[in-house]
């Protein structure tokens, strides 16, 4: 942490990166009060639209918007091309891994992974063993969290292959930027993200069970409006033009899923579920679940419905499994991972545990099944009492934790109370996999730690979001040349 963080706009030397000089000038020339006015206008719109999330256990602010920052993050075209190659490779490996461990389990037979890491993992679902999803696709929607430490240094922080959230913020942030900062889109050729709902619907239709109609019926299954991401569920269903359903709207009859409508039952072919495995089917998982559909897994096993993402995917999100991703990529692709992991110590291993305990004040320690920034220790910013308390927890259950070095995450200029200042960011791109292959959406969710010096970007811990610009080739309009017919060719926003 003693190393100055790389700033993605200003670089390391205080002078802006040449490719982003016009963005630095815009930032310098726009008064802070004007930036703040635009930012507040965006957040007011988010409130009016109901773009909120719930903080469970927080009685004072159970519903809130995620703070939005008006200064965009920018990826150059060549940076994005390299990232996309690595993301495609990683998601293909995740799908191969899931298909294998619920099938032939060749990776275990080869000794690449210890068997107990799979079979004793609560995220491994033995009920799914032997079931193959339609078209062999398990992780249809992946959110791969990335961090950056330098001009060319990107690392995967974690994989999200269950029900990754945040894409609605990616879309709403872009809409706000186009409306409030149109001059930036005059300066830069920015790849569009508004096609995401169409891409998602195309992905869903492509994995519909063989033999169904050419126009499969797709639905989004939500736990209901009390869920923290309910806005996103309704937003995506509305954007795709499909029904948003709850468990009571679906019924399984003779291993076929039907949707109850005022005109009678309608056969359902594809379900984008935002319900966790535990609650998905009370006949297979938790019998007390009121959020799931009895018989759904039987219909899935019979090949009569596609479930996106597939049941059992949680094992790929486990951070102990994450630590083996370089080996997993190599096993299934025969190549080295194009996107490296952050160095990771598995505390279940005695030597790694000793190292972690000896260096707690230097490391970030996380639950292998944790999320949202909970259950973790950021050693350099923790107090002595917090470190001592965490040490006791870690010693009691070391298998539940991994440790990583505290990286100097890159920063992006951010509007804060005192003006514009650098704040640390991470990034969640979204990767779609259907029957026709893998595609990376040209954008994503940039999360920003709004507190000075903080590395925790999670919205539940006070983080905010930024729009993420992916520049097309010749992305700076001030330096681009005209095409032969005198017109600039670009992807429309």
């Amino acid at each position: 942490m003693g190393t100055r963080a790389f700033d993605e706009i200003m670089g390391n030397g205080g002078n802006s990166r040449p490719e982003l000089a016009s963005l630095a000038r815009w930032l310098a020339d726009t008064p802070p009060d004007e930036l703040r006015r635009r930012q507040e206008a965006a957040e007011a719109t988010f409130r009016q639209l109901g773009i909120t999330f719930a903080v469970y256990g927080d009685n004072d602010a159970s519903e809130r918007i995620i703070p939005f920052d008006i200064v965009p993050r920018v990826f150059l075209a060549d940076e994005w091309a390299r990232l996309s190659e690595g993301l495609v490779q990683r998601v293909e490996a995740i799908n191969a891994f899931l298909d294998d461990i619920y099938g032939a389990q060749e990776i275990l037979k080869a000794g690449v992974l210890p068997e107990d890491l799979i079979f004793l993992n609560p995220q491994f679902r033995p009920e799914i063993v032997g079931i193959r999803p339609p078209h062999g696709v398990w992780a249809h929607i992946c959110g791969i969290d990335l961090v950056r430490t330098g001009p060319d240094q990107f690392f995967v922080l974690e994989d999200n292959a269950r029900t990754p959230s945040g894409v609605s913020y990616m879309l709403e942030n872009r809409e706000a930027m186009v409306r409030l900062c149109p001059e930036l889109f005059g300066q830069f050729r920015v790849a569009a993200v508004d096609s995401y709902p169409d891409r998602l619907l195309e992905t869903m239709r492509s994995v519909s069970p063989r033999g169904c109609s050419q126009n499969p019926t797709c639905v989004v299954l939500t736990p209901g409006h009390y869920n923290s991401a309910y806005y996103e569920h309704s937003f995506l269903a509305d954007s795709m033009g499909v029904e948003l359903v709850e468990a009571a709207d679906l019924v399984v009859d003779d291993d076929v899923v039907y949707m109850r409508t005022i005109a009678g039952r309608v056969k359902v072919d594809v379900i984008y579920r935002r319900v966790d495995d535990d609650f998905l089917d009370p006949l297979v998982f938790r019998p007390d679940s009121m959020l799931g559909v009895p018989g759904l897994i039987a219909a899935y096993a019979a090949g009569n419905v596609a479930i996106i993402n597939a049941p059992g995917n949680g094992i790929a999100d486990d951070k102990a499994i994450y630590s083996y991703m370089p080996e997993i990529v190599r096993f299934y692709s025969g190549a080295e991972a194009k996107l490296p992991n952050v160095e990771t110590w598995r505390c279940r291993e005695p030597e790694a545990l000793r190292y972690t305990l000896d260096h707690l004040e230097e490391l970030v320690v996380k639950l292998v099944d944790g999320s949202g920034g909970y259950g973790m220790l950021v050693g350099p910013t923790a107090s002595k009492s917090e470190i001592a308390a965490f040490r006791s927890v870690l010693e009691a259950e070391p298998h539940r934790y991994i440790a990583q070095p505290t990286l100097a995450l890159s920063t992006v200029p951010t509007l804060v109370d005192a003006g514009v200042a650098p704040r640390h960011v991470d990034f969640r791109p979204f990767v779609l996999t259907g029957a026709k292959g893998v595609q990376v959406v040209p954008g994503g969710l940039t999360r920003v730690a709004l507190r000075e010096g903080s590395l925790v970007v999670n919205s539940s811990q006070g983080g905010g979001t930024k729009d993420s610009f992916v520049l097309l080739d010749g992305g700076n309009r001030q330096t681009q040349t005209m095409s032969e017919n005198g017109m600039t060719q670009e992807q429309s926003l």
Side-chain angles (χ1 to χ4, degrees), residues 125-304:
R125 305 294 182 177
E127 303 90 344
I128 304 300
V129 170
I131 300 176
R132 198 161 189 268
H135 305 274
V137 181
W138 293 77
H140 311 81
I141 308 164
C142 283
I144 308 297
D145 289 352
L146 304 175
V147 293
R148 186 177 193 174
T149 60
D152 299 308
Q153 288 77 47
F154 291 89
F155 299 89
V156 177
L157 187 63
E158 64 181 52
D159 302 296
N160 297 279
R162 278 178 288 188
T163 53
S165 62
V167 75
S168 60
Y169 280 93
M170 174 187 78
L171 297 171
E172 295 289 6
N173 287 352
R174 173 59 53 82
E175 185 171 334
M177 289 297 292
V178 170
R179 180 167 52 87
L180 295 170
C181 301
E183 67 273 21
L184 289 179
F185 297 90
Q187 295 178 24
F188 295 102
R189 299 180 63 231
V190 183
V193 296
D194 57 0
S195 63
Y196 178 83
D198 293 334
R199 293 179 186 226
L200 176 58
L201 183 58
E202 178 187 5
T203 298
M204 293 174 65
R205 287 173 170 167
S206 77
V207 296
S208 60
R210 292 181 173 86
C212 73
S213 67
Q214 291 185 342
N215 188 25
T217 298
C218 304
V219 300
V220 176
L221 174 62
T222 177
H225 66 278
Y226 292 110
N227 184 265
S228 63
Y230 179 75
Y231 170 80
E232 180 160 293
H233 308 166
S234 59
F235 174 89
L236 288 174
D238 183 62
S239 299
M240 290 188 290
V242 305
E243 293 294 332
L244 180 69
V245 299
E246 298 184 27
D249 300 314
L250 301 179
V251 62
V252 178
D253 188 358
D254 197 22
D255 291 343
V256 176
V257 182
Y258 296 94
M259 173 173 53
R260 295 184 173 102
T261 75
I262 57 174
R265 289 181 173 183
V266 175
K267 182 177 177 291
V268 174
D269 303 298
V270 184
I271 299 174
Y272 175 18
R273 55 80 176 240
R274 297 298 293 259
V275 176
D276 291 342
D277 282 357
D278 279 342
F279 304 97
L280 196 55
D281 183 342
L283 300 182
V284 177
F285 302 119
R286 284 186 52 161
D288 61 340
S289 172
M290 301 296 290
L291 305 176
V293 182
L296 179 58
I297 297 301
Y300 175 64
N304 293 328

Side-chain angles (χ1 to χ4, degrees), residues 154-479:
F154 291 89
F155 299 89
V156 177
L157 187 63
E158 64 181 52
D159 302 296
N160 297 279
R162 278 178 288 188
T163 53
S165 62
V167 75
S168 60
Y169 280 93
M170 174 187 78
L171 297 171
E172 295 289 6
N173 287 352
R174 173 59 53 82
E175 185 171 334
M177 289 297 292
V178 170
R179 180 167 52 87
L180 295 170
C181 301
E183 67 273 21
L184 289 179
F185 297 90
Q187 295 178 24
F188 295 102
R189 299 180 63 231
V190 183
V193 296
D194 57 0
S195 63
Y196 178 83
D198 293 334
R199 293 179 186 226
L200 176 58
L201 183 58
E202 178 187 5
T203 298
M204 293 174 65
R205 287 173 170 167
S206 77
V207 296
S208 60
R210 292 181 173 86
C212 73
S213 67
Q214 291 185 342
N215 188 25
T217 298
C218 304
V219 300
V220 176
L221 174 62
T222 177
H225 66 278
Y226 292 110
N227 184 265
S228 63
Y230 179 75
Y231 170 80
E232 180 160 293
H233 308 166
S234 59
F235 174 89
L236 288 174
D238 183 62
S239 299
M240 290 188 290
V242 305
E243 293 294 332
L244 180 69
V245 299
E246 298 184 27
D249 300 314
L250 301 179
V251 62
V252 178
D253 188 358
D254 197 22
D255 291 343
V256 176
V257 182
Y258 296 94
M259 173 173 53
R260 295 184 173 102
T261 75
I262 57 174
R265 289 181 173 183
V266 175
K267 182 177 177 291
V268 174
D269 303 298
V270 184
I271 299 174
Y272 175 18
R273 55 80 176 240
R274 297 298 293 259
V275 176
D276 291 342
D277 282 357
D278 279 342
F279 304 97
L280 196 55
D281 183 342
L283 300 182
V284 177
F285 302 119
R286 284 186 52 161
D288 61 340
S289 172
M290 301 296 290
L291 305 176
V293 182
L296 179 58
I297 297 301
Y300 175 64
N304 293 328
V305 67
I307 300 177
I308 296 177
N309 281 335
N313 276 20
I315 188 71
D317 287 11
D318 184 273
K319 293 179 179 63
I321 298 296
Y322 155 91
S323 70
Y324 283 97
M325 277 304 295
E327 291 86 349
I328 291 172
V329 170
R330 189 182 307 119
F331 183 80
Y332 294 111
S333 73
E336 297 302 314
K338 296 178 180 179
L339 283 175
N341 275 14
V342 176
E343 183 179 11
T344 302
W345 292 272
R346 295 181 283 264
C347 296
R348 68 198 302 273
E349 300 171 358
E351 186 174 341
L353 176 61
R354 283 194 298 271
Y355 179 86
T356 301
L357 291 171
D358 289 343
H359 298 83
L360 274 179
E361 68 281 357
E362 305 168 13
L363 301 174
V364 177
V365 188
K366 306 174 183 178
L367 284 165
V368 295
D369 58 349
S371 63
Y374 295 106
M376 65 184 291
L377 175 79
V378 182
T381 62
S383 66
K384 290 184 178 179
S385 60
E386 289 171 333
I387 290 175
F390 201 93
R391 181 185 300 275
S392 299
V393 173
L394 178 58
E395 289 175 332
E397 296 183 298
H399 63 283
R400 297 190 63 202
Y401 294 89
I402 54 101
Q404 296 173 328
T406 308
L407 300 178
L409 303 186
S410 63
T411 59
V412 176
T414 300
L415 184 64
V416 296
D417 290 342
V420 176
R423 290 293 185 267
H424 296 291
V425 292
D426 79 351
F427 183 57
R428 176 175 292 180
F430 296 94
V431 186
L432 299 176
T433 304
K436 299 177 183 178
V438 184
Q439 57 179 316
V440 181
V441 181
L445 179 66
T446 287
R447 300 183 298 181
V448 54
L450 296 175
R451 290 193 290 268
E452 184 177 5
S454 175
L455 298 173
V456 182
V457 301
N458 305 82
S459 55
S460 56
Q461 306 293 309
T465 67
K466 290 173 172 285
D467 192 10
S468 307
F469 287 11
V470 173
L471 302 189
L472 301 170
D473 285 331
N476 192 325
R477 293 187 190 275
Q478 295 181 357
T479 60

